[in-house]
């Protein structure tokens, strides 16, 4: 009798090991997720007592009617559209070159990966200094080519390009490293065969490297899209806590931050969070599809 | 002969592009450090001078006088070390539970955990803020540490490593009347210490650089971390770029040093988790 009870309890012993993790995930991931959906329908909410006075869809009608939110959406999409493909193209070229028989490969690799581990906020502030209109290093270099100083961070028309340049610089690291790892799995015999057929470098690149690397390129695309849609700290650091001149660099997460932390509009901020979640969910589903295809062929 | 020279040409082109890329990557770091060591008038010299005429190491102490950066630095160290240690314990236990041990509903629960990986952390900030304030944890270290004690991604990763350890080892240990608890710490952990230390390093880097969440839940000097202190300093320092760059270096240099020592392990860890994840 007693032994049987011991066995019964023993079956659950494994649960004790995973319990701390489950509690943390339940309290700080699952519950807040469900609550965020609910909160996006709070139209009257008192934070001090955590009480909801009324529900409705007003938060959604508000954000979709809000020109600032539209600006945040379009800015974020423009940002993603430039940062992700450009970063992938540059990374691919650099990774292919790194994969050649060259000296100092591990030195280059170590240098290229450095921006991945360093703080976005600190490097954003450094880029703010590089972009300085009067004393910035970038305008000095442009001046050497006879280009007049650009008011990078002070004009709405150049602020978003400055943000994009910084983000491309920052995102190359991860792409280069995973492309390089992918390239090293491509067998040398493909290239040997290509050389027998006297295929040039460009043909080798476009007919062998890119197709064989395509699953990893697709993966880098999705990861890039997902993380770029969440752009925020870059903006904050580059423009000293603002969203660029005349809100020209406001992004979805910045909008969320402002509605929540500055205006204390919990419902509106949650509605923006739900929109962000749906965008990211859509891309994650695509990623899973791509990953599945990768396994099948 | 012609073939050889064409090859040499393309080789030099490769070196040229790679060097250009490396200079572009390293220049912001270099400029940050060099600016942090220049005198106030030299910083705004046009055309700029690469190296300072006098090396102003005192900029660092001046920056620390202008803002409590030393306190922020210590806070960041404390939070990073505590958070990473706790994360490692919770993650190891969970990875062991999900790989070696069996309990009813295990795979369903693990599936749900994996599904949470799709949730962007930015979405949880508002509601977690409410939870933290309900718990009375606003402006405490607990607010910075507890929500990140379990990392589903690292549980998943470590579970993969644990599953590679042959079953025979476990059964042999069972024959010797070794408990699950002992088996975990005496066998599993030592075998996987490489993977565990990689996870710890990657987590520590993420924790050190964290920004949005610490910005929301801390507001007193005694609890604030360096990344937040830095953006505040940015508005306070105004045009004193040498001091601002000194403050930025305080956040960046420790990570660079760690990276220089462990870059092989870090790059390998990111590649493995990046490609598998």
């Amino acid at each position: 009798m007693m032994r049987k009870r011991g066995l019964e309890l023993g079956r659950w012993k494994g649960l004790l090991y995973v319990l701390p993790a489950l509690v943390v995930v339940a309290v700080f991931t699952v519950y807040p997720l469900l609550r965020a959906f609910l909160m996006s329908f709070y139209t009257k909410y008192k934070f001090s007592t955590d009480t909801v006075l009324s529900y409705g869809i007003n938060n959604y009608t508000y954000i979709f009617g809000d020109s600032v939110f539209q600006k945040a959406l379009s800015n974020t999409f423009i940002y993603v559209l430039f940062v992700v493909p450009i970063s992938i193209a540059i990374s691919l070229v650099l990774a292919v070159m790194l994969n050649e028989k060259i000296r100092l490969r591990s030195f280059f690799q170590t240098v290229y990966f450095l921006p991945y581990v360093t703080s976005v906020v600190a490097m954003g502030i450094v880029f703010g200094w590089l972009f300085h209109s009067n004393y910035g290093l970038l305008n000095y270099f442009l001046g050497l080519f006879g280009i007049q100083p650009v008011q990078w961070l002070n004009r709405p028309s150049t602020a978003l390009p400055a943000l994009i340049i910084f983000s491309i610089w920052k995102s190359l690291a991860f792409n280069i490293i995973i492309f390089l790892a992918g390239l090293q799995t491509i067998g040398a015999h493909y290239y040997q065969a290509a050389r027998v057929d006297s295929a040039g470098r460009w043909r080798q690149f476009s007919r062998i490297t890119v197709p064989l690397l395509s699953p990893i390129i697709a993966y880098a695309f999705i990861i890039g899209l997902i993380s770029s849609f969440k752009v925020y700290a870059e903006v904050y650091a580059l423009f000293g806590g603002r969203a660029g001149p005349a809100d020209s660099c406001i992004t979805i997460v910045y909008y969320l931050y402002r509605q929540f932390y500055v205006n204390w509009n919990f419902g509106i901020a949650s509605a923006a969070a739900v929109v962000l979640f749906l965008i990211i969910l859509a891309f994650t589903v695509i990623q899973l599809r791509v990953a599945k295809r990768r396994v099948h062929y | 002969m012609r073939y050889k020279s064409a090859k040499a040409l393309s080789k030099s082109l490769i070196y040229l592009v790679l060097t250009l890329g490396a200079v572009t990557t390293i220049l912001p770091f270099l400029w940050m450090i060099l600016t942090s060591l220049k005198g106030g008038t030299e910083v705004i010299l046009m055309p700029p001078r690469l190296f300072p005429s006098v090396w102003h190491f005192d900029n660092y102490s001046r920056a620390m006088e202008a803002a409590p950066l030393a306190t922020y630095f210590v806070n960041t160290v404390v939070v990073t070390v505590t958070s990473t240690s706790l994360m490692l314990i919770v993650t190891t236990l969970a990875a062991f539970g999900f790989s070696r041990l069996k309990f009813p509903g295990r795979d369903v629960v693990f599936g749900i955990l994996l599904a949470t990986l799709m949730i962007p952390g930015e979405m949880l900030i508002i509601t977690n803020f409410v939870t933290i304030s309900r718990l009375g944890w606003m402006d405490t270290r607990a607010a910075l540490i507890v929500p990140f004690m379990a990392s589903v991604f690292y549980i998943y990763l470590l579970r993969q490593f644990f599953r590679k350890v042959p079953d025979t080892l476990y059964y042999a240990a069972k024959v010797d009347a070794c408990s699950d608890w002992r088996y975990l710490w005496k066998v599993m952990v030592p075998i996987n210490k490489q993977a565990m230390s990689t996870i710890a390093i990657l987590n520590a880097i993420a924790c050190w650089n964290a920004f949005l969440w610490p910005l929301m839940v801390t507001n007193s000097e005694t609890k604030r971390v360096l990344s937040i202190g830095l953006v505040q300093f940015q508005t306070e320092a105004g045009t004193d770029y040498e001091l601002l760059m000194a403050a930025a270096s305080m956040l960046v240099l420790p990570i660079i040093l760690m990276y220089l020592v462990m870059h092989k392990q870090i790059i390998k860890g990111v590649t493995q988790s990046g490609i598998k994840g």
Side-chain angles (χ1 to χ4, degrees):
Chain A
M1 232 348 228
M2 265 186 77
R3 235 189 102 183
K4 206 173 163 201
R5 255 193 74 193
L7 274 177
E8 274 295 299
L9 284 175
R11 280 180 64 206
W12 294 95
K13 238 179 76 186
L15 191 63
L16 286 178
Y17 283 79
V18 303
L19 202 59
L22 289 186
V23 171
V24 173
V25 172
V27 174
F28 293 105
T29 306
V30 178
Y31 165 73
L33 174 75
L34 302 176
R35 180 118 197 244
F37 280 106
L38 261 181
M39 198 177 260
S40 70
F41 296 102
Y42 291 3
T43 47
K44 274 199 187 126
Y45 172 65
K46 254 178 94 180
F47 170 65
S48 53
T49 51
D50 197 12
T51 44
V52 191
L53 302 168
S54 71
Y55 293 90
I57 57 159
N58 293 5
N59 297 321
Y60 288 97
T61 50
Y62 176 85
I63 60 169
F64 285 110
D66 184 5
S67 63
V68 182
F69 187 68
Q70 285 160 7
K71 177 112 189 155
L73 272 180
S74 75
N75 274 347
T76 309
F77 274 93
I78 293 170
Y79 171 89
V80 168
L81 216 61
F82 278 94
V83 171
V84 180
I86 295 177
S87 170
I88 284 179
I90 298 174
S91 315
L92 195 56
V93 171
L94 289 173
V96 167
M97 289 182 166
L98 274 175
N99 199 40
E100 294 282 323
K101 284 197 195 82
I102 54 157
R103 263 173 245 170
L104 298 174
R105 180 199 282 168
S106 90
F107 165 78
F108 280 122
Q109 198 180 340
T110 308
V111 168
Y112 283 133
F113 194 63
L114 187 57
Y116 183 82
V117 294
T118 47
S119 156
V120 174
V121 175
M123 293 326 287
I125 288 174
V126 173
F127 267 75
W129 170 224
L130 293 171
F131 280 126
H132 195 285
S133 332
N134 302 328
Y135 313 116
L137 205 54
L138 187 63
N139 273 351
Y140 167 71
F141 283 137
L142 292 176
L144 296 179
F145 296 96
I147 298 170
Q148 289 299 308
V150 181
Q151 298 280 322
W152 289 107
L153 304 179
N154 307 328
R155 294 259 165 79
S157 57
T158 47
L160 194 57
L163 175 68
I164 288 170
I165 291 171
F166 168 50
S167 297
I168 291 172
W169 175 86
K170 176 82 187 157
S171 64
L172 290 177
F174 178 75
N175 291 337
I176 290 175
I177 291 302
I178 64 164
F179 287 156
L180 196 57
L183 286 170
Q184 279 158 4
T185 63
I186 298 180
H189 58 275
Y190 287 107
Y191 294 102
Q192 279 155 9
R195 245 169 272 141
V196 169
D197 294 342
S198 63
R201 255 178 211 285
W202 171 250
R203 263 184 96 79
Q204 288 181 28
F205 177 76
S206 61
R207 296 292 168 87
I208 301 173
T209 311
V210 172
L212 285 177
L213 207 60
S214 62
I216 293 185
I217 296 174
Y219 173 75
F221 237 98
I222 297 297
I223 294 290
L225 286 175
I226 292 175
S227 68
S228 298
F229 271 115
K230 301 191 286 192
V231 55
Y232 166 76
E234 289 86 345
V235 180
Y236 197 102
L238 206 53
F239 300 101
R242 295 174 308 134
D247 275 353
S248 54
C249 286
I250 194 161
T251 63
I252 301 174
V253 176
Y254 195 99
Y255 180 87
L256 187 163
Y257 157 81
R258 183 188 282 167
Q259 287 295 355
F260 160 56
Y261 203 65
V262 181
N263 303 341
W264 287 78
N265 286 327
F266 286 73
I268 293 171
S270 297
V274 170
V275 172
L276 175 74
F277 174 72
L278 293 177
I279 293 172
I280 289 177
L281 183 71
F283 285 107
T284 313
V285 170
I286 297 171
Q287 184 209 352
L288 291 176
R289 287 247 169 113
V290 171
K292 234 180 212 155
R293 243 185 45 201
R294 185 163 84 194
V295 176
H296 282 307
Y297 80 80
Chain B
M1 197 55 194
R2 255 183 71 195
Y3 174 71
K4 223 174 181 177
S5 66
K7 214 175 164 187
L9 188 76
S10 79
K11 259 273 151 72
S12 16
L13 185 73
I14 286 176
Y15 280 113
L16 183 74
V17 174
L18 285 179
T19 310
L20 223 69
V23 170
T24 313
T25 307
I26 213 93
L27 196 66
F29 296 102
L30 201 66
W31 199 238
M32 169 187 78
I33 297 166
L34 290 171
T35 305
S36 79
L37 295 169
K38 284 179 182 170
T41 48
E42 212 170 6
V43 165
I44 52 170
L45 208 61
M46 268 293 157
R49 198 181 289 160
L50 186 58
F51 293 104
S53 51
V54 181
W55 296 76
H56 282 274
F57 289 99
D58 57 308
N59 284 343
Y60 285 80
S61 52
R62 279 178 58 212
M64 282 189 265
E65 273 162 30
L69 297 175
T71 312
Y72 300 159
F73 188 90
V74 173
N75 287 343
T76 313
V77 173
V78 170
V79 169
T80 302
V81 171
T82 321
S83 177
T84 302
S85 315
L86 290 173
M87 184 282 302
L88 205 56
I89 295 169
V90 172
T91 300
T92 306
L93 289 174
F96 185 63
F98 282 121
S99 60
R100 184 68 268 169
L101 304 174
K102 288 197 175 76
F103 55 89
R106 183 187 77 169
D107 297 335
V108 176
V109 173
F110 189 65
I112 295 172
L113 274 193
L114 281 187
T116 65
L117 283 175
M118 284 190 227
I119 304 164
E122 286 75 1
M123 200 196 170
L124 310 174
I125 275 174
I126 307 160
T127 32
N128 273 338
F129 182 89
V130 176
T131 306
I132 290 292
S133 96
R134 289 276 103 189
L135 288 169
W137 287 358
M138 210 38 92
D139 204 26
T140 62
R141 294 226 165 94
L144 295 176
I145 294 167
V146 177
F148 304 99
M149 264 172 37
S151 158
V152 173
F153 183 64
Y154 290 143
I155 292 172
Y156 164 77
L157 209 63
L158 200 56
R159 176 176 166 271
Q160 306 283 83
F161 281 98
F162 281 2
R163 275 156 56 116
K164 277 190 219 146
V165 176
D167 288 347
T168 46
L169 223 54
Y170 182 65
Y171 298 122
K174 282 275 134 173
V175 170
D176 291 342
C178 174
S179 67
D180 287 334
W181 182 256
R182 250 179 83 85
Y183 176 75
L184 169 61
W185 299 106
K186 297 286 172 187
V187 181
M188 286 301 238
V189 169
I191 290 177
N192 292 291
K193 78 173 179 251
Q194 179 78 21
M196 288 176 66
S197 74
T198 303
I199 287 173
I201 295 165
L202 294 179
N203 186 77
I205 293 172
C207 187
W208 183 273
N209 292 334
F211 177 65
L212 185 52
W213 179 248
L215 178 69
M216 308 248 158
V217 294
T218 56
N219 45 44
S220 71
E221 274 178 19
T222 50
K223 295 297 179 313
R224 195 171 284 148
V225 290
L226 197 51
S227 58
I228 313 304
L230 179 61
V231 294
Q232 270 214 321
F233 192 63
Q234 186 185 19
T235 41
E236 289 161 9
T239 51
D240 291 335
Y241 280 98
E242 70 281 12
L243 299 188
L244 184 58
M245 291 302 116
S249 301
M250 285 177 66
L251 184 61
V252 174
L253 286 181
I255 293 289
I256 294 185
L257 285 181
M258 192 178 89
Y259 176 70
L260 288 181
V261 177
M262 294 187 271
H263 62 95
K264 279 213 179 97
Q265 194 181 355
I266 293 172
I267 291 177
K268 203 177 150 211
V270 172
T271 335
Q272 278 178 342
S273 55
I275 288 187
K276 275 182 201 150

